[in-house]
Amino acid sequence: MTGFDWATLSAARNARLDAVPDMVRHALRVLEDVVEEADHACTFTLDAAPLAADGVTATVNTLLPLRCEVAALAPVADWSTVVGAALPGFFVPTRQPQAWAAQAAPRVLADALAAWVVALLSRLWPAEAEAWELTVQSRDWYEAAYVDVVVRVDATVWLLHLGVSD
């Protein structure tokens, strides 16, 4: 899979733009299934909302679960670098190390799904889109570990949540 540009695949290149979010959600769900184990539950979601009059932070707060709010939005130069660094490695379980070695079939599948997600997201989010890494403040429970990316494209704010609990 190394070196293959998933964005060149006709399914990504020719997908209707309105269908791409559901394609991303589907790929994220499959990736969740691949990397989950009994004590390692992943939650990968993609949500969007119109930009609120009072800005990106207010918009993201509407996308977060109840009792959660934005603690910080740290600008990132390139959203794809953050997503690519998190998926799938940050979420690969520690059990069965042989299954997650570099060329093992589960790892190849997880890497390919992650690359597919990035290729699809690039249809929604241009490389130059404003992007932030999100830190969440919770008065309850959020996730044991997570990488959340916020991207603003025109008048839409997107929240990609990549979380794991155990």
Side-chain angles (χ1 to χ4, degrees):
M1 298 296 171
T2 307
F4 182 75
D5 182 2
W6 288 92
T8 64
L9 197 61
S10 65
R13 194 178 63 246
N14 298 330
R16 289 186 345 265
L17 202 52
D18 64 322
V20 172
D22 284 336
M23 292 172 72
V24 171
R25 290 180 189 105
H26 185 260
L28 288 171
R29 180 68 190 119
V30 173
L31 186 56
E32 283 177 2
D33 290 343
V34 170
V35 297
E36 281 187 350
E37 288 187 347
D39 64 346
H40 184 93
C42 294
T43 304
F44 301 157
T45 59
L46 176 67
D47 294 300
L51 179 62
D54 42 353
V56 172
T57 299
T59 307
V60 174
N61 281 330
T62 68
L63 296 170
L64 289 171
L66 293 175
R67 304 184 59 81
C68 294
E69 61 187 22
V70 173
L73 286 170
V76 295
D78 179 19
W79 63 265
S80 65
T81 301
V82 177
V83 175
L87 288 177
F90 185 78
F91 300 95
V92 166
T94 56
R95 285 191 192 173
Q96 299 179 303
Q98 71 285 1
W100 299 105
Q103 294 304 312
R107 184 58 188 252
V108 170
L109 176 58
D111 288 341
L113 285 166
W116 178 235
V117 166
V118 171
L120 290 170
L121 287 172
S122 68
R123 290 286 315 278
L124 298 173
W125 304 343
E128 67 277 358
E130 285 183 283
W132 301 266
E133 220 173 321
L134 169 65
T135 303
V136 174
Q137 178 179 341
S138 176
R139 293 176 299 250
D140 202 357
W141 184 85
Y142 189 57
E143 293 277 9
Y146 65 93
V147 175
D148 284 355
V149 178
V150 174
V151 177
R152 188 182 135 226
V153 178
D154 300 323
T156 303
V157 175
W158 295 89
L159 172 60
L160 176 64
H161 169 72
L162 307 171
V164 65
S165 58
D166 48 29

